[in-house]
Amino acid sequence: MKPPILKTFAACALAVATMPLAAQVVITGIADKAVYTDRAAFSVTAQAGYSCGARLDGNPVPLGVSVPVTNADYHELSVSATNNSTTTVTRQYVRFIVTSSERGNTENGLPPWVPYPVVNSATEEFAGSQLRLIVPESFPAGQPVPVVAWVEDSAGHALRANGLLQAPGQPAIQLRRGVGSGFLPAPPAPGPLDYAAEVGGLTANKVIDIETHTSWTPVSGIVNGAVSWPAGSRIAVQQNLTIPAGSSLTIGEGTVVRLAYRVNLTNSGSLVIQGTTARPVVFMAEDPGQPWGGIIMHWAGAQLEARGTI
């Protein structure tokens, strides 16, 4: 009969070892699975009759004092308490994230990153090349206008040069290794917006029609069967949109898709985006200060074909 007794004792010991520490240790300032911006602080205090130890990310931390945590990252606080009478040890883990306000709320736990300074190329490096621009043919008023730019050599290959893309009255866009993107401020009035850009002696010009009135078609939920959004559509996605297996969504050139905060387009079927360099398909946030979610490929058999897409 000894083996069953030993098994029962082992099970009881395991239960004691993993029980919460509420009665033995007081942890204040942080909560399990919580997210804090820029800074968190906690303290660990042992109750009478217990010896306590605490480690943050594997490193010992003092007891009974406030411990600040300022580095943006995922953190684990491990606390153990030993009953001085029975020597029983119990443990508790508190997991939390400190985010950096510099990076926004889409990159939880990623520390700030300072890139190496860009050294722009001499004008001679751009000689014989061509500047290419992708901008919407037309765009809703009151919204920042996206711009994509790249430089090609005479053979049509990307020219790996750095430079500032500049246009009168518009903010500069940095090209790194021949490619760059950015936004033009929301135009104050409808009508044609002339964007005449230059970098390294190369020039290109695009005219964007800022719409007087934009009529949005609301879409959300499930895409059933074969669905097409015609060229030039204006689609407003207020809630998550899902393409299930066996269904398809085709988006015509020149379409603008506006998505609400954190809204996702989940694809388990087929998504075909038929933009062109002259009339790209644009995915944009409803509020420029609140990013939409993303396109999620949710199944191994899901298909995505995207051309001319911003």
Side-chain angles (χ1 to χ4, degrees), residues 35-39 70-73 97-113:
V35 178
Y36 304 93
T37 302
D38 292 329
R39 186 181 189 276
T70 56
N71 59 311
D73 209 335
I97 289 174
V98 175
T99 66
S100 170
S101 57
E102 296 178 1
R103 297 201 68 133
N105 55 13
T106 60
E107 301 184 21
N108 275 358
L110 293 181
W113 176 64

Side-chain angles (χ1 to χ4, degrees), residues 179-246:
V179 179
S181 62
F183 290 90
L184 309 182
L193 172 62
D194 188 20
Y195 184 63
E198 182 274 336
V199 62
L202 307 179
T203 60
N205 180 264
K206 290 284 186 177
V207 177
I208 306 155
D209 179 30
I210 304 302
E211 299 166 359
T212 302
H213 173 73
T214 302
S215 179
W216 297 94
T217 300
V219 175
S220 62
I222 307 296
V223 175
N224 289 313
V227 176
S228 294
W229 294 344
S233 296
R234 298 293 182 262
I235 305 295
V237 185
Q238 293 296 317
Q239 297 179 351
N240 290 333
L241 185 66
T242 300
I243 307 170

Side-chain angles (χ1 to χ4, degrees), residues 19-40:
M19 67 181 292
L21 285 178
Q24 298 93 336
V25 173
V26 176
I27 302 173
T28 59
I30 58 173
D32 190 39
K33 298 182 181 179
V35 178
Y36 304 93
T37 302
D38 292 329
R39 186 181 189 276

Side-chain angles (χ1 to χ4, degrees), residues 253-267:
E253 63 179 358
T255 293
V256 177
V257 183
R258 187 184 71 185
L259 300 101
Y261 180 49
R262 290 186 174 178
V263 163
N264 294 318
L265 197 167
T266 301
N267 179 29

